[in-house]
């Protein structure tokens, strides 16, 4: 029992880094993703093209590779070294912003142009049109893919172990390898499952709340 409690407390300590990485990634990648989406839809072909290439590179290469590059590249370029957690956070933000930008773009472009024109005929300003008519519909349409990305992010936090960051999976893996026992991995799996169950339920409630936009 004592050994189990010790393991549990170690996993909870690793869970702190998992939650921190998850939260900080969302706080910065969501607005950055929206900016990238707007730039991608810009009539400026150069700007749109650059963002398109960026999204293609980010979505076309493994996050594990991006973690290593973000950590090592500053040293190779300017001789600067930053701590591993900061490097992981930057890599996660850059990665998820690309995915979120495509979700935002698909949601915005799915709204018929006729709604913009109708709002203009009614004399509504662009601000009122976007806030009261377009945004609620976009939010409802992007909730399912956003839910998937949020849940993927929960699991992807385990990749921070690539930079030797001690998060929940690292703790479980080290204990499992040291004791030749799968119990720590089972417990970690339960943590991840519970975390994602909460995320899924929150998105389910949000979708039900927006049902009147159908």
């Amino acid at each position: 029992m004592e050994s189990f409690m010790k393991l549990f407390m170690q996993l909870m300590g690793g869970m702190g880094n998992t939650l921190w990485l998850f939260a900080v990634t969302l706080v910065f990648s969501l607005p950055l993703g929206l900016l990238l989406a707007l730039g991608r839809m810009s009539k400026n072909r150069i700007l749109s093209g650059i963002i398109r290439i960026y999204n293609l590179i980010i979505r076309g290469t493994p996050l594990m590779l991006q973690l290593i590059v973000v950590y090592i590249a500053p040293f190779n370029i300017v001789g600067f070294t930053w701590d591993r957690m900061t490097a992981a956070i930057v890599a996660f933000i850059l990665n998820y912003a690309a995915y979120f930008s495509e979700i935002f773009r698909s949601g915005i472009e799915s709204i018929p142009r006729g709604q913009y024109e109708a709002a203009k005929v009614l004399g509504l300003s662009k601000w009122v049109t976007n806030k009261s008519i377009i945004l609620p519909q976009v939010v409802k349409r992007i909730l399912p893919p956003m839910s998937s990305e949020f849940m993927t992010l929960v699991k992807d936090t385990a990749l921070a172990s690539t930079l030797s960051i001690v998060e929940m999976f690292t703790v479980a893996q080290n204990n499992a390898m040291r004791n030749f026992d799968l119990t720590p991995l089972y417990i970690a799996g339960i943590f991840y499952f519970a975390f994602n169950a909460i995320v899924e339920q929150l998105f389910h409630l949000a979708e039900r709340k927006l049902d009147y936009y159908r």
Side-chain angles (χ1 to χ4, degrees), residues 87-98:
I89 289 173
V90 171
F92 269 83
I93 290 172
L94 294 177
N95 180 277
Y96 272 84

Side-chain angles (χ1 to χ4, degrees), residues 123-144:
L124 300 179
S125 66
K126 287 186 178 180
W127 166 252
V128 173
T129 299
N130 288 320
K131 180 177 74 71
S132 303
I133 300 176
I134 305 302
L135 184 59
Q137 296 181 75
V138 169
V139 170
K140 176 174 172 56
R141 297 183 185 202
I142 68 175
L143 279 179

Side-chain angles (χ1 to χ4, degrees), residues 21-22 40 43 52 81 85-86 110 114 118 139 142 190 192 197 207:
L21 183 57
F22 175 81
R40 179 76 172 80
K43 294 181 180 179
R52 179 174 176 271
T81 303
M85 178 57 84
T86 302
S110 69
V139 170
I142 68 175
I190 292 172
Y192 284 116
E207 288 185 48

Side-chain angles (χ1 to χ4, degrees), residues 3-200:
S3 61
F4 177 81
M5 289 303 300
K6 183 179 179 181
L7 171 62
F8 182 81
M9 294 307 297
Q10 289 177 345
L11 287 171
M12 289 303 293
M15 184 69 168
N17 281 336
T18 297
L19 291 172
W20 174 250
L21 183 57
F22 175 81
V24 175
T25 297
L26 291 181
V27 167
F28 290 98
S29 62
L30 284 170
L32 178 57
L34 179 58
L35 289 176
L36 289 173
L38 295 175
R40 179 76 172 80
M41 296 185 295
S42 171
K43 294 181 180 179
N44 186 322
R45 292 187 176 182
I46 296 178
L47 176 61
S48 178
I50 291 174
I51 295 176
R52 179 174 176 271
I53 293 172
Y54 169 79
N55 285 349
L56 179 61
I57 292 173
I58 293 296
R59 296 190 300 148
T61 56
L63 175 55
M64 184 180 296
L65 172 63
Q66 295 165 24
L67 283 161
I68 297 172
V69 169
V70 169
Y71 180 60
I72 297 177
F75 179 79
N76 289 339
I77 297 173
V78 296
F80 170 74
T81 303
W82 49 11
D83 68 89
R84 298 172 187 270
M85 178 57 84
T86 302
I89 289 173
V90 171
F92 269 83
I93 290 172
L94 294 177
N95 180 277
Y96 272 84
Y99 285 93
F100 288 146
S101 73
E102 290 301 307
I103 294 175
F104 282 129
R105 184 173 69 88
S106 64
I108 294 171
E109 292 184 343
S110 69
I111 306 299
R113 296 302 305 176
Q115 296 197 26
Y116 293 93
E117 295 169 359
K120 187 176 182 180
V121 170
L122 293 172
L124 300 179
S125 66
K126 287 186 178 180
W127 166 252
V128 173
T129 299
N130 288 320
K131 180 177 74 71
S132 303
I133 300 176
I134 305 302
L135 184 59
Q137 296 181 75
V138 169
V139 170
K140 176 174 172 56
R141 297 183 185 202
I142 68 175
L143 279 179
M146 277 292 184
S147 174
S148 296
E149 287 302 317
F150 274 51
M151 295 175 74
T152 300
L153 175 57
V154 172
K155 295 177 290 183
D156 277 352
T157 55
L159 292 177
S161 60
T162 304
L163 300 183
S164 300
I165 293 173
V166 182
E167 41 69 60
M168 186 169 59
F169 180 77
T170 307
V171 174
Q173 183 182 39
N174 290 342
N175 275 276
M177 297 296 289
R178 182 168 58 249
N179 301 316
F180 214 68
D181 180 12
L182 289 176
T183 302
L185 293 177
Y186 291 147
I187 297 174
I190 292 172
F191 271 116
Y192 284 116
F193 176 79
F195 196 169
N196 268 331
I198 293 172
V199 171
E200 193 276 337

